[in-house]
Amino acid sequence: MKKKLAVAVSGAAVLVLALSSCTSDDADKFTADDWAKKYCDQAQPQLKKKTDAEQTIRQTAVDSKPAQIQAADSKAFQDLSDVNKALAAALRGAGTPPVDNGEKLVQDAAAELDANSKSYLDLKKQIDALDAKNQQKFADGLQPVATGLGKIEKNEAARKRLNQGDTGEAIAKQPGCKAPVVSSPPAA
């Protein structure tokens, strides 16, 4: 009787260990994908809004009058500020990915997005302050705006780190994080 009990107890212990080791590997992989899905589902509408705003800036810059450029860029910069703020919130809302330094990766990327959001608001203020009635002054005033835009576009080191390794692989699998397709303007 004691032998049967010992065999049953040891068999149960082996089964528990086997099940826990299998599920922990599967759970880690699932959790990385689950984290990415949670983030990318929230990011998807923001990525579309970002693409639209960037396309507006490019299209308006060609053959537009200063007042048109000013209005379009002002709205686009506000939209881009909102997008970056929402993406930072989506990262924080998705929680910590189950990777080495996952919490730091998310904190750094979210802080970077917050900084870009503020920088876009600064560009909006700059473009709003330009004199659209004086074409030369307006053109001269666009130079610092373009420089600021270039700096924002280069501020992506933390997001690049987030998009590498296990988090990058998990994000790449998610349809919500795929860049929206830009439609080309109709031919004239």
Side-chain angles (χ1 to χ4, degrees):
M1 179 76 160
K2 288 182 183 181
K3 220 179 203 184
K4 286 183 181 180
L5 182 60
V7 168
V9 170
S10 66
V14 168
L15 180 61
V16 167
L17 286 173
L19 288 175
S20 66
S21 68
C22 288
T23 56
S24 70
D25 289 344
D26 292 343
D28 287 346
K29 180 68 173 161
F30 173 77
T31 304
D33 289 341
D34 189 44
W35 171 85
K37 180 171 178 16
K38 188 173 181 181
Y39 167 66
C40 292
D41 286 352
Q42 293 178 52
Q44 186 174 30
Q46 300 307 319
L47 296 175
K48 170 78 171 101
K49 190 174 177 182
K50 178 183 180 208
T51 299
D52 291 346
E54 289 171 344
Q55 189 172 10
T56 296
I57 291 169
R58 282 189 298 278
Q59 287 177 341
T60 309
V62 180
D63 299 326
S64 294
K65 295 180 180 172
Q68 293 169 317
I69 293 171
Q70 186 177 42
D73 285 1
S74 179
K75 181 184 180 326
F77 292 150
Q78 180 65 58
D79 289 348
L80 289 167
S81 175
D82 295 345
V83 163
N84 279 271
K85 185 180 275 191
L87 290 173
L91 274 175
R92 289 182 183 107
T96 302
V99 298
D100 291 339
N101 298 318
E103 185 175 358
K104 181 164 176 39
L105 285 172
V106 167
Q107 286 175 350
D108 290 351
E112 188 175 86
L113 288 162
D114 285 335
N116 287 351
S117 176
K118 183 185 177 315
S119 295
Y120 278 118
L121 283 180
D122 291 344
L123 290 181
K124 179 186 181 335
K125 289 175 189 171
Q126 287 178 21
I127 197 87
D128 288 346
L130 295 179
D131 182 1
K133 293 177 184 165
N134 183 325
Q135 191 159 359
Q136 185 58 49
K137 281 186 178 180
F138 186 79
D140 292 343
L142 285 179
Q143 236 2 64
V145 172
T147 301
L149 192 54
K151 287 179 183 176
I152 294 171
E153 290 171 355
K154 290 178 182 174
N155 187 24
E156 62 180 14
R159 285 172 290 148
K160 280 185 175 180
R161 285 191 300 276
L162 184 69
N163 284 309
Q164 295 173 345
D166 292 338
T167 53
E169 288 176 25
I171 288 171
K173 293 177 189 176
Q174 299 302 318
C177 279
K178 303 249 185 277
V181 177
V182 178
S183 59
S184 40

